[in-house]
Amino acid sequence: MSDTDLIGALRVLEREALAAVSGATDEAALETVRVTYLGRTEGSISKVLRGLGALPTGARPAVGQEANRVKIAVSEALKVRGLALAPQTRGSAEDLTLPSRGPWRGGLHPITQAVDEIWHIFRDMGFARARGPEADTEWYNFEALNTPLDHPAADEQDTLYLVDSVLLRSHTSPVQVRTMEAYEPPIRIIAPGWVYRRDTYDATHTPAFMQIEGLVVDEGVSFVDFKATLAEFARRYWGPDTRVRFRPSFFPFTEPSAEVDVKRVITKPDGTRVETDWLEVMGAGMVDPAVLENVGYDSERYTGWAFGMGPARIAMLKHGVDDLRTFFENDMRFLAQFSS
Ligand code: DAH
């Protein structure tokens, strides 16, 4: 048979099968219809599907697609008719005294909650919210941030390139550059957003994750201002007894650079108060004058500080979650604990 004949034959089979399905008046009759058309060995539709291999290669896709469609249509009809013919026992088992299940209540994802809490603390201190594109150029992601393209971070091993010099941003720091290009100082912004890296999905890495960038630029902004603001943030977020420590570090876009650690005081179930270990929560530093010059700011007149932190990590610390993947698996038993 040619492929058009076969397709025609399939449609005839489909019509017959559907008529037989609606004609079946009990479950036994319906089972006979199922075996006749879809039975594994003798079913007439199954036979066509099995015969596909013998067709010339060119004819296979069209016939295969049609045979599959017919198979699904007939299976669905069998299922629906099966439900209608099934003995109606469940209705009588209804127990009207059972309490209702209550409405299903959604909630914000724990990472979204962390982002909101963090952003709101900075908002109360006078910061505005900024955003930038997730697909950006090498210029914004690296070069404008004083990071040469031969820096390891710019390597294709670490960064997801789209085409040529366009990539998925590997951090939220490009929003610093875009904001400074668009506005004159004073600048005081918080920029939460998704970032992407070529990382293997494991307990502490995901190829897509959230970051929150902060940037302040003005005349007379100093390291003291930076330390005081971050210490105030830490006390508001982790509690009034939280201590903050700045460790020297290196980022191409800040000079000097620091890693910021916090030590919290937590109250144990028996009421005793204990200090936690030092926990690293962000990278930060004074904006490198080269970055200010790249956006056309006068680096003699303006100074600034910046930070970048990972809210997922912060949410992990806060809720005692030890595997990052739990946040992304959408298991309702986990997520429901965070809805209020
Ligand atoms: N962009 C850095 C990263 O992804 C984090 C960072 C460090 C941001 C220091 C900053 C900063 O703004 O000043 O690892």
Side-chain angles (χ1 to χ4, degrees):
M1 260 203 272
S2 79
D3 50 343
T4 36
D5 291 344
L6 262 174
I7 290 176
L10 275 165
R11 296 205 172 135
V12 172
L13 278 176
E14 179 186 15
R15 265 198 305 280
E16 272 177 31
L18 293 179
V21 168
S22 22
T25 49
D26 57 43
E27 287 183 302
L30 196 62
E31 176 60 12
T32 312
V33 177
R34 192 190 66 74
V35 174
T36 310
Y37 292 94
L38 297 179
R40 202 176 291 264
T41 45
E42 290 305 309
S44 36
I45 297 171
S46 314
K47 277 188 187 162
V48 177
L49 274 165
R50 237 190 356 261
L52 278 178
L55 287 176
T57 327
R60 274 181 224 164
V63 177
Q65 219 169 39
E66 185 62 10
N68 262 321
R69 189 193 62 73
V70 169
K71 180 179 166 187
I72 291 168
V74 174
S75 311
E76 281 301 307
L78 282 164
K79 210 188 294 170
V80 172
R81 186 75 185 140
L83 285 177
L85 294 176
Q88 303 294 314
T89 50
R90 277 193 215 106
S92 57
E94 267 169 23
D95 178 355
L96 298 178
T97 66
L98 275 179
S100 76
R101 289 211 185 102
W104 182 258
R105 212 168 333 130
L108 292 178
H109 190 277
I111 296 179
T112 308
Q113 291 182 22
V115 170
D116 283 353
E117 276 179 55
I118 293 165
W119 139 242
H120 290 159
I121 291 172
F122 283 99
R123 182 187 60 188
D124 292 348
M125 295 197 276
F127 284 66
R129 185 154 167 160
R131 61 161 79 211
E134 288 174 23
D136 215 333
T137 60
E138 282 178 327
W139 168 255
Y140 285 103
N141 199 74
F142 297 121
E143 293 168 292
L145 289 161
N146 202 35
T147 312
L149 293 180
D150 57 12
H151 187 278
D155 198 302
E156 284 186 34
Q157 294 289 324
D158 293 312
T159 300
L160 289 152
Y161 279 82
L162 296 175
V163 284
D164 299 330
S165 59
V166 182
L167 43 76
L168 290 177
R169 66 180 178 193
S170 59
H171 51 179
T172 42
S173 303
V175 184
Q176 293 187 26
V177 181
R178 291 183 170 274
T179 306
M180 291 192 282
E181 274 182 351
Y183 301 95
E184 288 298 313
I187 299 246
R188 214 179 278 128
I189 56 137
I190 290 294
W194 287 98
V195 304
Y196 303 87
R197 288 187 197 167
R198 254 181 203 279
D199 269 330
T200 310
Y201 187 52
D202 64 20
T204 51
H205 298 86
T206 53
F209 57 101
M210 276 274 178
Q211 274 195 341
I212 302 182
E213 194 78 12
L215 173 71
V216 169
V217 184
D218 201 354
E219 285 181 39
V221 168
S222 70
F223 204 85
V224 173
D225 183 70
F226 161 57
K227 282 185 82 169
T229 311
L230 290 185
E232 178 61 18
F233 159 72
R235 285 191 291 265
R236 290 197 198 180
Y237 189 74
W238 283 287
D241 298 320
T242 305
R243 289 201 285 148
V244 179
R245 166 172 94 174
F246 296 75
R247 271 181 299 112
S249 183
F250 175 80
F251 299 101
F253 31 90
T254 43
E255 181 55 39
S257 303
E259 248 147 354
V260 181
D261 300 340
V262 297
K263 196 189 241 316
R264 304 167 57 192
V265 175
I266 52 170
T267 309
K268 300 225 284 198
D270 65 5
T272 50
R273 289 162 61 75
V274 289
E275 284 201 322
T276 63
D277 290 337
W278 285 106
L279 303 166
E280 184 194 323
V281 293
M282 65 178 93
M286 298 301 292
V287 179
D288 194 298
V291 176
L292 299 175
E293 294 294 333
N294 280 340
V295 296
Y297 282 7
D298 178 354
S299 65
E300 297 290 326
R301 180 168 170 205
Y302 296 115
T303 47
W305 54 265
F307 67 80
M309 64 177 143
R313 194 180 139 70
I314 286 172
M316 282 171 85
L317 296 175
K318 180 158 185 162
H319 301 298
V321 172
D322 56 12
D323 191 323
L324 186 57
R325 288 170 292 196
T326 341
F327 285 129
F328 299 101
E329 281 161 2
N330 290 334
D331 182 335
M332 287 311 296
R333 290 167 303 181
F334 172 74
L335 292 179
Q337 300 176 73
F338 302 95
S339 57
S340 44

